[in-house]
Amino acid sequence: MNKILRYSLAVLFIGLGLYFLLPLAIGVRHIGMFAPAAVFGIFAWILLRPQKVKALLTGRHRALWRTLLALFAAGLMCVDVILGLMVRQAVNRPESNAPCTVLVLGCEVRGLRPSKMLQARIDSAYDYLTANPRAVCVACGGMADDEIISEARCIRDELVRRGIDPSRIYLEEKSENTRQNIAFAADIIEENGLPTEIAVASDNFHQLRSSIYAKKSGLSAYSLGCRSYWLLGPGYWARETIAVAAAFTLGR
């Protein structure tokens, strides 16, 4: 490969790796930042040290290094497949004439106001509820130790403030994670005879795992996906990919 091209690609990969690490500047740390940064670092190293790579693959321990390289490539292929499934579910928008039950998944509340991520989910739910006046909503999410109201109540208050009739909003205030969001909301749907076709108002990266949990709870999930904050989005997509891969691997 042309030396200039190799160096240009190496710089690109290093830049991408640093981009995934940018949330460190605001105190955010999770595997979805570090794993992609490490992968891009490996790509950059391969491009900058091709002779070293060749020596490893042809040296005394070549079987080990070739096996590791094959596993690395297989892992990247699995990531591609999972990302494809995540994108497919993210664009799986409700099309039925019969309105779905909207599920707004919980997220951080700051004081009495939603965080940026939760506000985006509320916006998606509001747009659908406005366009479908017969649709109802289940606001999901309990109250974390550092919150003064439940996430569900914050969602309800924000929707009501914007003109949605409170009688259209059911509260699920016990859950602590996505799986419980869906499972406890499914109980509310069954108890009140609500449509089992649901439209999940959450980030696009969240839609695949939500649909898996929904299916286990007897629900059929569509997406009211919203974009994530540009600084955090790529890392969350990567973290979610790892979470889905781990769930499939462990059979959960």
Side-chain angles (χ1 to χ4, degrees):
M1 184 184 295
N2 182 280
K3 190 173 184 179
I4 295 177
L5 179 58
R6 280 195 298 106
Y7 276 59
S8 297
L9 288 174
V11 169
L12 173 63
F13 288 138
I14 291 171
L16 289 171
L18 292 174
Y19 176 68
F20 274 91
L21 296 177
L22 280 178
L24 288 172
I26 57 174
V28 177
R29 296 176 179 84
H30 56 76
I31 192 173
M33 297 159 48
F34 299 114
V39 170
F40 286 123
I42 291 171
F43 285 154
W45 181 77
I46 290 173
L47 289 165
L48 293 173
R49 296 288 184 269
Q51 296 304 318
K52 179 66 174 177
V53 175
K54 183 178 180 180
L56 290 174
L57 295 178
T58 57
R60 187 173 61 176
H61 300 294
R62 59 183 178 274
L64 171 62
W65 287 104
R66 289 179 179 180
T67 299
L68 291 175
L69 182 61
L71 290 174
F72 180 66
L76 291 179
M77 290 180 63
C78 289
V79 167
D80 287 342
V81 171
I82 292 172
L83 281 173
L85 293 173
M86 289 170 65
V87 170
R88 185 177 71 174
Q89 183 59 30
V91 298
N92 183 28
R93 301 283 174 161
E95 297 179 354
S96 174
N97 292 328
C100 298
T101 301
V102 178
L103 264 62
V104 189
L105 302 189
C107 193
E108 182 185 9
V109 174
R110 297 173 179 172
L112 298 176
R113 302 292 296 168
S115 61
K116 284 186 177 181
M117 290 184 71
L118 184 54
Q119 185 62 60
R121 299 177 185 190
I122 294 170
D123 291 343
S124 292
Y126 173 78
D127 290 343
Y128 184 85
L129 292 169
T130 301
N132 296 271
R134 292 187 295 121
V136 297
C137 168
V138 180
C140 302
M143 185 170 66
D145 293 338
D146 59 347
E147 295 174 339
I148 61 175
I149 63 170
S150 71
E151 294 164 3
R153 194 165 296 274
C154 178
I155 294 166
R156 193 274 309 274
D157 291 348
E158 184 67 14
L159 287 172
V160 171
R161 185 185 68 81
R162 297 174 66 175
I164 300 300
D165 189 331
S167 66
R168 299 172 65 192
I169 305 170
Y170 296 79
L171 293 184
E172 181 287 293
E173 298 182 275
K174 300 184 297 180
S175 60
E176 298 179 355
N177 53 51
T178 302
R179 180 181 59 80
Q180 292 179 356
N181 281 172
I182 303 290
F184 296 163
D187 292 339
I188 292 174
I189 289 171
E190 182 178 5
E191 290 168 5
N192 293 276
L194 305 178
T196 56
E197 284 195 338
I198 63 172
V200 179
S202 186
D203 297 75
N204 283 317
F205 67 79
H206 218 181
Q207 296 296 331
L208 176 61
R209 193 152 53 96
S210 298
S211 70
I212 294 171
Y213 293 147
K215 186 175 182 180
K216 290 182 178 180
S217 296
L219 306 174
S220 178
Y222 293 95
S223 166
L224 295 180
C226 51
R227 293 181 180 179
S228 308
Y229 180 42
W230 71 269
L231 183 64
L232 304 176
Y236 282 135
W237 273 87
R239 187 178 71 172
E240 190 72 10
T241 302
I242 295 169
V244 172
F248 279 133
T249 301
L250 299 175
R252 295 178 181 174

